[in-house]
Amino acid sequence: MTSAERQRRCTLTRQPDGSYRLAIEQAPVPTPASGEVLVRVRAASLNRRDVYVLKGQYPMPPREALVPLSDGAGEVVSPGAGVTRFKTGDRVAAAFFQRWLSGRPDAQAPSSALGGQIDGMLSEYVCLSEEGLVKVPEGYSYEEAATLPCAAVTAWNGLFTRGRMQPGDNVLLLGTGGVSIFGLQLAAAAGAHPIVTSSNDEKLARVRKLGASATINYARTPEWSGEVRAATGGMGVHHVLEVGGVGTLPQSLASLAPGGHIALIGGLSGFGGDIPAAALLHSNITASGIYVGSRESFEALNAFIGQHALRPVIDRAYPLEDALDAYRRMESGQHLGKIVITL
Ligand SMILES: NC(=O)c1ccc[n+]([C@@H]2O[C@H](COP(=O)([O-])OP(=O)(O)OC[C@H]3O[C@@H](n4cnc5c(N)ncnc54)[C@H](OP(=O)(O)O)[C@@H]3O)[C@@H](O)[C@H]2O)c1
């Protein structure tokens, strides 16, 4: 591979209305610096954040010509000088935060988010620090591996690292998007009881096949915490992956069992909402802010995936030329699980 070779990648250009235009461009294949690895990216996946970024609604606006998407997987084609963690041919996925390796994040971690502050994965070739990569789970396709870095790591941290989920726990997942479907699969594999809400009965039928022990149509039942209580014999849930935000937080809090844990993750109905401190105190509730997680968490997730033979639910895969259609599908909310782009 020489630097004279060209590749295709997508970049974002700011529009007068504040949104961004996604375009495919030709660019040189980068050369790995010392400690970096050149990766031929084979698949990337979308998260809701990528739609916010494209629409100009992300709180940290991307710089001009940013390559979008945090999530991607591919093969190592050329390790740079001094690289010891990977060799040519290794199958790798990128960690969401390139500089949060383990333990607590430091203040610099957020600025190392791929597809946010730094170029992301919607590019045939990327150069990344060897520290910012993990091995793909055994037997996974690149499409499957590309679904993991953001949504699956977030669900993992919400349920295990911060929530300390146990077999038999009741777990509430909101909607059927990327984070919630991984949450369902992780909870079912751990012997917990996942309860899933959706606005769509066909999707609810599908999540029952994926292991949901109870389902609720939140469009038909806007005050759904009563149904959550009924489904848990009055006890409530020990965990909520709160992806809905301001519109769902009150119902999520009302669904919690004493001693429960609410992982504050998303804002599908708008970010924000009030945490009632006195009520939390009386019920011994824990609330955690979750922002994806470290490389160490990604590796722990991958070990669990291997143990339990979990396979991600891929809604659709689009070729790079149709990347915008992938964004449109995510924005429509018609998907279940993850949307992939192949390169
Ligand atoms: N903090 C973090 O680290 C982190 C990481 C990943 C994602 N997030 C955030 O978490 C949220 C989910 O992300 P995602 O990528 O999983 O999204 P996604 O795949 O786009 O999820 C979309 C689905 O969510 C459901 N939904 C939409 N509005 C809802 C509402 N008001 N109540 C309940 N469900 C609703 C719908 O499911 P149905 O069609 O079944 O109704 C919709 O299809 C986003 O706000 C995202 O920014 C945060």
Side-chain angles (χ1 to χ4, degrees):
M1 182 66 54
T2 69
S3 58
E5 289 184 53
R6 310 282 288 173
Q7 62 153 328
R8 292 180 311 157
R9 67 180 190 184
C10 281
T11 55
L12 299 175
T13 308
R14 195 173 161 84
Q15 302 298 286
D17 68 359
S19 68
Y20 288 79
R21 187 170 62 85
L22 183 78
I24 298 180
E25 64 170 34
Q26 297 281 325
V29 171
T31 305
S34 175
E36 285 185 347
V37 167
L38 178 65
V39 177
R40 171 65 171 95
V41 180
R42 296 290 177 185
S45 90
L46 282 172
N47 294 286
R48 181 56 59 161
R49 161 197 190 242
D50 303 310
V51 173
Y52 301 146
V53 167
L54 191 70
K55 292 173 72 84
Q57 295 168 348
Y58 198 58
M60 291 163 279
R63 64 159 168 70
E64 196 61 19
L66 182 92
V67 176
L69 303 199
S70 55
D71 292 10
E75 79 224 38
V76 172
V77 289
S78 170
V83 166
T84 56
R85 280 170 50 83
F86 299 103
K87 59 183 188 318
T88 302
D90 280 351
R91 295 155 57 81
V92 293
F96 184 93
F97 291 114
Q98 288 290 289
R99 291 194 299 275
W100 181 7
L101 302 187
S102 63
R104 293 187 176 128
D106 63 22
Q108 309 311 317
S111 64
S112 72
L114 289 169
Q117 302 301 293
I118 60 174
D119 278 342
M121 299 299 284
L122 201 49
S123 187
E124 287 176 333
Y125 289 89
V126 296
C127 275
L128 296 173
S129 164
E130 65 166 335
E131 299 294 346
L133 295 166
V134 303
K135 281 203 170 130
V136 162
E138 200 65 40
Y140 259 38
S141 66
Y142 288 122
E143 286 84 351
E144 289 172 320
T147 66
L148 300 173
C150 177
V153 175
T154 301
W156 171 265
N157 277 322
L159 294 175
F160 288 97
T161 316
R162 309 289 280 280
R164 303 186 182 282
M165 181 171 63
Q166 299 295 317
D169 283 359
N170 299 322
V171 179
L172 178 61
L173 294 319
L174 308 182
T176 55
V179 174
S180 296
I181 293 295
F182 276 122
L184 159 64
Q185 293 180 290
L186 294 172
H193 304 300
I195 299 169
V196 180
T197 71
S198 174
S199 56
N200 180 310
D201 287 336
E202 283 170 28
K203 290 182 174 184
L204 290 176
R206 288 186 62 197
V207 296
R208 280 195 288 277
K209 290 193 182 130
L210 289 168
S213 54
T215 57
I216 300 167
N217 187 315
Y218 68 80
R220 261 201 313 274
T221 312
E223 307 280 306
W224 37 261
S225 59
E227 288 205 17
V228 173
R229 292 230 165 252
T232 56
M235 178 187 283
V237 292
H238 304 99
H239 308 267
V240 186
L241 294 188
E242 219 317 317
V243 296
V246 67
T248 56
L249 185 61
Q251 288 296 304
S252 292
L253 288 164
S255 301
L256 282 165
H261 173 244
I262 182 163
L264 302 169
I265 292 172
L268 287 164
S269 64
F271 283 87
D274 291 329
I275 294 288
L280 264 57
L281 178 163
H282 282 290
S283 297
N284 279 288
I285 300 292
T286 309
S288 305
I290 307 280
Y291 190 10
V292 193
S294 64
R295 187 189 81 193
E296 181 183 43
S297 294
F298 195 172
E299 287 167 338
L301 163 79
N302 286 349
F304 184 91
I305 279 174
Q307 247 176 340
H308 295 271
L310 291 187
R311 312 301 298 218
V313 178
I314 295 179
D315 175 77
R316 279 190 197 173
Y318 295 80
L320 183 64
E321 310 78 69
D322 298 336
L324 206 50
D325 289 337
Y327 275 82
R328 289 193 186 108
R329 175 135 181 106
M330 171 154 264
E331 193 180 354
S332 77
Q334 289 173 337
H335 62 291
L336 185 148
K338 294 292 295 177
I339 297 169
V340 168
I341 298 171
T342 54
L343 298 100

PDB file of all heavy atoms in Angstrom, residues 253-273:
ATOM      1  N   LEU A 253     -38.818   6.245  35.715  1.00  0.00           N
ATOM      2  CA  LEU A 253     -38.598   6.318  37.168  1.00  0.00           C
ATOM      3  C   LEU A 253     -39.728   5.623  37.916  1.00  0.00           C
ATOM      4  O   LEU A 253     -39.498   4.913  38.901  1.00  0.00           O
ATOM      5  CB  LEU A 253     -38.486   7.786  37.601  1.00  0.00           C
ATOM      6  CG  LEU A 253     -37.199   8.495  37.179  1.00  0.00           C
ATOM      7  CD1 LEU A 253     -37.352  10.016  37.310  1.00  0.00           C
ATOM      8  CD2 LEU A 253     -36.011   8.012  38.010  1.00  0.00           C
ATOM      9  N   ALA A 254     -40.960   5.790  37.414  1.00  0.00           N
ATOM     10  CA  ALA A 254     -42.115   5.176  38.082  1.00  0.00           C
ATOM     11  C   ALA A 254     -42.129   3.660  37.912  1.00  0.00           C
ATOM     12  O   ALA A 254     -42.890   2.970  38.587  1.00  0.00           O
ATOM     13  CB  ALA A 254     -43.407   5.780  37.525  1.00  0.00           C
ATOM     14  N   SER A 255     -41.287   3.144  37.001  1.00  0.00           N
ATOM     15  CA  SER A 255     -41.239   1.693  36.755  1.00  0.00           C
ATOM     16  C   SER A 255     -40.225   0.984  37.633  1.00  0.00           C
ATOM     17  O   SER A 255     -40.147  -0.248  37.630  1.00  0.00           O
ATOM     18  CB  SER A 255     -40.854   1.429  35.285  1.00  0.00           C
ATOM     19  OG  SER A 255     -41.782   2.019  34.414  1.00  0.00           O
ATOM     20  N   LEU A 256     -39.399   1.749  38.378  1.00  0.00           N
ATOM     21  CA  LEU A 256     -38.267   1.139  39.092  1.00  0.00           C
ATOM     22  C   LEU A 256     -38.685   0.426  40.369  1.00  0.00           C
ATOM     23  O   LEU A 256     -39.550   0.906  41.117  1.00  0.00           O
ATOM     24  CB  LEU A 256     -37.237   2.215  39.439  1.00  0.00           C
ATOM     25  CG  LEU A 256     -36.327   2.659  38.296  1.00  0.00           C
ATOM     26  CD1 LEU A 256     -35.630   3.967  38.652  1.00  0.00           C
ATOM     27  CD2 LEU A 256     -35.289   1.571  37.978  1.00  0.00           C
ATOM     28  N   ALA A 257     -38.031  -0.695  40.634  1.00  0.00           N
ATOM     29  CA  ALA A 257     -38.170  -1.399  41.914  1.00  0.00           C
ATOM     30  C   ALA A 257     -37.268  -0.711  42.940  1.00  0.00           C
ATOM     31  O   ALA A 257     -36.286  -0.058  42.572  1.00  0.00           O
ATOM     32  CB  ALA A 257     -37.732  -2.850  41.748  1.00  0.00           C
ATOM     33  N   PRO A 258     -37.556  -0.871  44.230  1.00  0.00           N
ATOM     34  CA  PRO A 258     -36.626  -0.373  45.252  1.00  0.00           C
ATOM     35  C   PRO A 258     -35.230  -0.949  45.003  1.00  0.00           C
ATOM     36  O   PRO A 258     -35.095  -2.120  44.658  1.00  0.00           O
ATOM     37  CB  PRO A 258     -37.222  -0.912  46.562  1.00  0.00           C
ATOM     38  CG  PRO A 258     -38.671  -1.130  46.259  1.00  0.00           C
ATOM     39  CD  PRO A 258     -38.747  -1.522  44.808  1.00  0.00           C
ATOM     40  N   GLY A 259     -34.222  -0.106  45.144  1.00  0.00           N
ATOM     41  CA  GLY A 259     -32.844  -0.567  44.917  1.00  0.00           C
ATOM     42  C   GLY A 259     -32.465  -0.641  43.451  1.00  0.00           C
ATOM     43  O   GLY A 259     -31.394  -1.129  43.117  1.00  0.00           O
ATOM     44  N   GLY A 260     -33.367  -0.161  42.577  1.00  0.00           N
ATOM     45  CA  GLY A 260     -33.117  -0.277  41.139  1.00  0.00           C
ATOM     46  C   GLY A 260     -32.084   0.720  40.624  1.00  0.00           C
ATOM     47  O   GLY A 260     -31.617   1.601  41.349  1.00  0.00           O
ATOM     48  N   HIS A 261     -31.756   0.557  39.335  1.00  0.00           N
ATOM     49  CA  HIS A 261     -30.731   1.394  38.690  1.00  0.00           C
ATOM     50  C   HIS A 261     -31.281   1.929  37.374  1.00  0.00           C
ATOM     51  O   HIS A 261     -31.829   1.157  36.579  1.00  0.00           O
ATOM     52  CB  HIS A 261     -29.479   0.556  38.416  1.00  0.00           C
ATOM     53  CG  HIS A 261     -28.443   1.278  37.611  1.00  0.00           C
ATOM     54  ND1 HIS A 261     -28.046   0.886  36.346  1.00  0.00           N
ATOM     55  CD2 HIS A 261     -27.707   2.383  37.903  1.00  0.00           C
ATOM     56  CE1 HIS A 261     -27.119   1.719  35.898  1.00  0.00           C
ATOM     57  NE2 HIS A 261     -26.889   2.629  36.812  1.00  0.00           N
ATOM     58  N   ILE A 262     -31.151   3.230  37.184  1.00  0.00           N
ATOM     59  CA  ILE A 262     -31.556   3.831  35.910  1.00  0.00           C
ATOM     60  C   ILE A 262     -30.317   4.371  35.212  1.00  0.00           C
ATOM     61  O   ILE A 262     -29.576   5.183  35.779  1.00  0.00           O
ATOM     62  CB  ILE A 262     -32.656   4.907  36.106  1.00  0.00           C
ATOM     63  CG1 ILE A 262     -33.087   5.475  34.741  1.00  0.00           C
ATOM     64  CG2 ILE A 262     -32.248   6.011  37.063  1.00  0.00           C
ATOM     65  CD1 ILE A 262     -34.418   6.219  34.792  1.00  0.00           C
ATOM     66  N   ALA A 263     -30.068   3.854  34.018  1.00  0.00           N
ATOM     67  CA  ALA A 263     -28.920   4.294  33.219  1.00  0.00           C
ATOM     68  C   ALA A 263     -29.399   5.397  32.289  1.00  0.00           C
ATOM     69  O   ALA A 263     -30.203   5.151  31.389  1.00  0.00           O
ATOM     70  CB  ALA A 263     -28.366   3.118  32.419  1.00  0.00           C
ATOM     71  N   LEU A 264     -28.924   6.614  32.531  1.00  0.00           N
ATOM     72  CA  LEU A 264     -29.354   7.783  31.737  1.00  0.00           C
ATOM     73  C   LEU A 264     -28.504   7.830  30.479  1.00  0.00           C
ATOM     74  O   LEU A 264     -27.296   8.101  30.535  1.00  0.00           O
ATOM     75  CB  LEU A 264     -29.189   9.055  32.567  1.00  0.00           C
ATOM     76  CG  LEU A 264     -29.972   9.038  33.891  1.00  0.00           C
ATOM     77  CD1 LEU A 264     -29.559  10.195  34.778  1.00  0.00           C
ATOM     78  CD2 LEU A 264     -31.470   9.053  33.627  1.00  0.00           C
ATOM     79  N   ILE A 265     -29.139   7.533  29.344  1.00  0.00           N
ATOM     80  CA  ILE A 265     -28.386   7.306  28.109  1.00  0.00           C
ATOM     81  C   ILE A 265     -28.768   8.258  26.985  1.00  0.00           C
ATOM     82  O   ILE A 265     -27.903   8.798  26.300  1.00  0.00           O
ATOM     83  CB  ILE A 265     -28.588   5.833  27.649  1.00  0.00           C
ATOM     84  CG1 ILE A 265     -27.913   4.876  28.639  1.00  0.00           C
ATOM     85  CG2 ILE A 265     -28.045   5.618  26.243  1.00  0.00           C
ATOM     86  CD1 ILE A 265     -28.210   3.412  28.395  1.00  0.00           C
ATOM     87  N   GLY A 266     -30.070   8.425  26.756  1.00  0.00           N
ATOM     88  CA  GLY A 266     -30.437   9.074  25.505  1.00  0.00           C
ATOM     89  C   GLY A 266     -31.520  10.118  25.599  1.00  0.00           C
ATOM     90  O   GLY A 266     -31.994  10.460  26.693  1.00  0.00           O
ATOM     91  N   GLY A 267     -31.907  10.603  24.424  1.00  0.00           N
ATOM     92  CA  GLY A 267     -32.885  11.673  24.336  1.00  0.00           C
ATOM     93  C   GLY A 267     -33.727  11.562  23.072  1.00  0.00           C
ATOM     94  O   GLY A 267     -33.890  12.535  22.352  1.00  0.00           O
ATOM     95  N   LEU A 268     -34.264  10.370  22.818  1.00  0.00           N
ATOM     96  CA  LEU A 268     -35.056  10.186  21.595  1.00  0.00           C
ATOM     97  C   LEU A 268     -36.240  11.143  21.536  1.00  0.00           C
ATOM     98  O   LEU A 268     -36.674  11.542  20.469  1.00  0.00           O
ATOM     99  CB  LEU A 268     -35.539   8.729  21.501  1.00  0.00           C
ATOM    100  CG  LEU A 268     -34.441   7.712  21.154  1.00  0.00           C
ATOM    101  CD1 LEU A 268     -34.900   6.288  21.465  1.00  0.00           C
ATOM    102  CD2 LEU A 268     -34.036   7.831  19.684  1.00  0.00           C
ATOM    103  N   SER A 269     -36.764  11.516  22.721  1.00  0.00           N
ATOM    104  CA  SER A 269     -37.876  12.475  22.755  1.00  0.00           C
ATOM    105  C   SER A 269     -37.372  13.853  23.199  1.00  0.00           C
ATOM    106  O   SER A 269     -38.172  14.708  23.567  1.00  0.00           O
ATOM    107  CB  SER A 269     -38.946  11.970  23.733  1.00  0.00           C
ATOM    108  OG  SER A 269     -38.425  11.938  25.045  1.00  0.00           O
ATOM    109  N   GLY A 270     -36.063  14.054  23.170  1.00  0.00           N
ATOM    110  CA  GLY A 270     -35.435  15.294  23.667  1.00  0.00           C
ATOM    111  C   GLY A 270     -34.605  14.979  24.907  1.00  0.00           C
ATOM    112  O   GLY A 270     -35.064  14.249  25.778  1.00  0.00           O
ATOM    113  N   PHE A 271     -33.379  15.509  24.955  1.00  0.00           N
ATOM    114  CA  PHE A 271     -32.504  15.233  26.104  1.00  0.00           C
ATOM    115  C   PHE A 271     -32.967  16.048  27.306  1.00  0.00           C
ATOM    116  O   PHE A 271     -33.462  17.169  27.167  1.00  0.00           O
ATOM    117  CB  PHE A 271     -31.045  15.573  25.764  1.00  0.00           C
ATOM    118  CG  PHE A 271     -30.398  14.527  24.893  1.00  0.00           C
ATOM    119  CD1 PHE A 271     -30.504  14.589  23.515  1.00  0.00           C
ATOM    120  CD2 PHE A 271     -29.716  13.461  25.458  1.00  0.00           C
ATOM    121  CE1 PHE A 271     -29.930  13.621  22.700  1.00  0.00           C
ATOM    122  CE2 PHE A 271     -29.135  12.488  24.664  1.00  0.00           C
ATOM    123  CZ  PHE A 271     -29.246  12.572  23.278  1.00  0.00           C
ATOM    124  N   GLY A 272     -32.823  15.479  28.495  1.00  0.00           N
ATOM    125  CA  GLY A 272     -33.125  16.233  29.713  1.00  0.00           C
ATOM    126  C   GLY A 272     -34.161  15.525  30.571  1.00  0.00           C
ATOM    127  O   GLY A 272     -34.453  14.343  30.391  1.00  0.00           O
ATOM    128  N   GLY A 273     -34.716  16.273  31.519  1.00  0.00           N
ATOM    129  CA  GLY A 273     -35.676  15.709  32.465  1.00  0.00           C
ATOM    130  C   GLY A 273     -35.171  15.881  33.878  1.00  0.00           C
ATOM    131  O   GLY A 273     -33.978  16.097  34.093  1.00  0.00           O
TER     132      GLY A 273
END
